[in-house]
């Protein structure tokens, strides 16, 4: 009898509270709220673009969009998301398709959790 293992992915969103605090200290509450809201909207757009680029096998667009996601995520303290986006960008330039697929899936999971 074959044994089946089920893998669960429980991604924790890594939030850099110091970065977010600095943003609020620098801009004030109202302006920082606006920046964070716009950044989250842009993150959602970038994640969608990244997935579309992957499924179209457009590696250049995938790498470029992932690099763009890094700056936005860093701005609002989502350091874990930024790190994984960097990994996707690097893998998009290579030939390790299974690693790219797995890392992209991780990016989407973390991105989804970051948006909620």
């Amino acid at each position: 009898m074959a044994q089946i293992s089920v893998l669960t992915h429980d991604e924790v969103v890594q939030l850099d509270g110091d970065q977010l605090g600095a943003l609020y200290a620098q801009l004030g509450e109202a302006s920082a709220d606006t920046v964070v809201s716009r950044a989250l909207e842009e993150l959602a757009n970038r994640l969608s673009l990244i997935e579309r680029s992957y499924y179209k096998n457009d590696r250049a667009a995938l790498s470029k969009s992932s690099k763009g996601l890094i700056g936005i995520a860093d701005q609002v303290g989502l350091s874990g998301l930024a790190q994984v986006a960097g990994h996707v960008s690097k893998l998009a330039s290579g030939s390790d398709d299974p690693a790219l697929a797995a890392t992209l899936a991780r990016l989407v999971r973390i991105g989804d959790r970051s948006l909620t």
Side-chain angles (χ1 to χ4, degrees):
M1 179 179 281
Q3 184 177 14
I4 298 175
S5 297
V6 178
L7 302 176
T8 58
H9 302 284
D10 188 22
E11 298 289 347
V12 176
V13 174
Q14 294 178 356
L15 182 63
D16 182 351
D18 292 338
Q19 175 65 26
L20 198 55
L23 183 67
Y24 274 82
Q26 180 182 12
L27 300 177
E29 188 172 345
S31 294
D33 282 345
T34 300
V35 168
V36 170
S37 293
R38 287 184 182 161
L40 291 176
E41 185 177 324
E42 185 60 27
L43 286 174
N45 290 334
R46 292 279 176 146
L47 286 168
S48 177
L49 180 60
I50 287 167
E51 284 188 283
R52 285 194 311 270
S53 298
Y54 174 76
Y55 289 114
K56 289 180 181 177
N57 200 28
D58 186 346
R59 298 286 183 105
L62 176 59
S63 180
K64 182 179 178 182
S65 297
S66 298
K67 285 179 186 175
L69 185 74
I70 295 168
I72 298 164
D74 276 337
Q75 180 185 25
V76 292
L78 294 169
S79 56
L81 183 64
Q83 181 181 25
V84 177
H87 295 161
V88 169
S89 179
K90 288 177 186 171
L91 287 165
S93 302
S95 60
D96 191 346
D97 293 341
L100 175 59
T103 308
L104 177 65
R106 183 169 185 237
L107 178 66
V108 170
R109 283 192 307 273
I110 293 172
D112 287 346
R113 296 201 78 180
S114 296
L115 294 172
T116 57

